[in-house]
């Protein structure tokens, strides 16, 4: 059987999870990993994985048919654009982008190139969530008029030693709550209106540590969502 060559950009916590899964799958081969950080490069070296300083070097050196992008949020669309320009399919870890403008750019790139783009919202594939969607679609809950989501937990100080996690686009809305937002879209349909509020009162970083939002879905359902990592 011919193996499907994949590469991974980013060898942080999420990138390593993708790398380990690829290594376990007989239909894939790991062509290389792009990782500028010393810790990530050392982790790859211990497993005899070819590493490159950046994604451009990787794309130049090895032929791949797909790239998993698990780099910091703000880099997602730029890396994807370089891959798509070569006709290489991408799986982009959530959030797909750190701003609406960047997300729109990605959507346009996909339309222009026709290169497949997948976002890492893996919870949609959970059998429990798929069963919940079936129950709602069958009308067994009646008309769903409201939903409440709380994503509250604590991140230790060491988590923020990584600079981009203290900056806009690296907070719990895009890193954590985005999963719950996608789950509600999967269950209830598209969002037509959003109101929200951010706070960084506890840590005082540029990025939020607490947020709340009111979502209105196309079918009329309203959802109240809160998130805090402090």
């Amino acid at each position: 059987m011919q193996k499907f060559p994949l590469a991974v950009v980013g060898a942080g916590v999420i990138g390593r999870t993708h790398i380990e899964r690829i290594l376990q799958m007989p239909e894939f081969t790991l062509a290389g990993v792009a990782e500028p950080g010393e810790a990530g490069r050392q982790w790859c070296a211990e497993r005899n994985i070819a590493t490159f300083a950046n994604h451009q070097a990787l794309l130049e050196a090895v032929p791949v048919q797909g790239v998993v992008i698990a780099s910091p949020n703000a880099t997602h669309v730029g890396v994807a654009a370089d891959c798509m320009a070569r006709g290489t399919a991408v799986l982009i870890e959530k959030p797909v982008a750190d701003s609406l403008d960047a997300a729109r750019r990605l959507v346009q790139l996909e339309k222009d190139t026709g290169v497949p783009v997948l976002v890492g919202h893996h919870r949609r594939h959970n059998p429990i969530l798929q069963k919940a969607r079936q129950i709602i679609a069958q009308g067994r809950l009646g008309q769903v008029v409201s939903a409440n989501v709380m994503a509250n937990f604590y991140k230790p100080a060491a988590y923020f030693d990584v600079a981009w996690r203290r900056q806009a686009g690296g907070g719990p809305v895009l890193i954590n709550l985005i999963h719950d937002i996608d789950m509600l879209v999967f269950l209830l349909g598209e969002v037509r209106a959003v109101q929200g509020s951010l706070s960084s009162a506890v840590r005082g970083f540029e990025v939020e540590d607490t947020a709340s939002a009111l979502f209105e879905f196309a079918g009329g359902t309203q959802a109240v969502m809160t998130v805090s990592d402090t």
Side-chain angles (χ1 to χ4, degrees):
M1 181 179 66
Q2 184 177 359
K3 291 192 173 186
F4 194 88
L6 297 177
V8 176
V9 177
V13 174
I14 301 302
R16 294 177 190 185
T17 301
H18 283 288
I19 291 167
E20 289 170 344
R21 297 301 185 275
I22 292 170
L23 292 174
Q24 293 171 11
M25 303 288 284
E27 59 266 46
F28 298 128
T29 181
L30 182 62
V33 174
E35 172 55 56
E38 183 58 35
R41 294 176 68 85
Q42 180 62 35
W43 185 89
C44 290
E46 292 169 358
R47 290 156 180 79
N48 296 316
I49 298 171
T51 58
F52 300 85
N54 52 60
H55 69 280
Q56 292 98 335
L58 185 153
L59 293 171
E60 290 288 342
V62 294
V64 294
Q65 290 180 276
V67 174
V68 176
I69 301 173
S71 52
N73 298 347
T75 69
H76 285 182
V77 174
V79 174
D82 290 342
C83 295
M84 296 166 71
R86 293 171 172 266
T88 303
V90 292
L91 187 158
I92 307 176
E93 259 304 329
K94 56 77 202 164
V96 67
D98 68 332
S99 72
L100 283 175
D101 285 343
R104 292 187 183 105
R105 178 189 174 203
L106 182 67
V107 170
Q108 191 60 49
L109 282 169
E110 192 278 333
K111 291 178 179 177
D112 293 343
T113 65
V115 175
V117 177
L118 181 66
V119 184
H121 284 302
H122 59 271
R123 295 187 188 181
R124 289 182 174 220
H125 302 280
N126 187 311
I128 296 173
L129 197 63
Q130 292 184 346
K131 183 64 175 180
R133 189 186 195 200
Q134 180 184 10
I135 289 171
I136 292 172
Q138 291 172 342
R140 290 166 60 185
L141 297 183
Q143 182 178 354
V144 180
V145 296
S146 66
N148 292 278
V149 174
M150 292 183 292
N152 301 319
F153 43 88
Y154 178 76
K155 292 177 181 176
Y159 176 87
F160 299 95
D161 289 344
V162 180
W164 67 269
R165 292 173 177 165
R166 304 190 300 268
Q167 299 166 355
V173 170
L174 290 182
I175 291 178
N176 306 111
L177 191 67
I178 194 70
H179 275 305
D180 301 286
I181 293 170
D182 184 68
M183 285 170 61
L184 285 190
V185 170
F186 185 66
L187 294 173
L188 302 174
E190 293 302 314
V191 176
R192 68 183 178 193
V194 181
Q195 301 176 57
S197 176
L198 302 176
S199 172
S200 57
V202 176
R203 294 196 180 92
F205 294 151
E206 175 186 331
V207 72
E208 77 279 354
D209 53 51
T210 305
S212 59
L214 171 64
F215 285 73
E216 183 177 328
F217 291 82
T221 306
Q222 293 195 342
V224 176
M225 310 183 78
T226 62
V227 63
S228 181
D229 65 6
T230 191

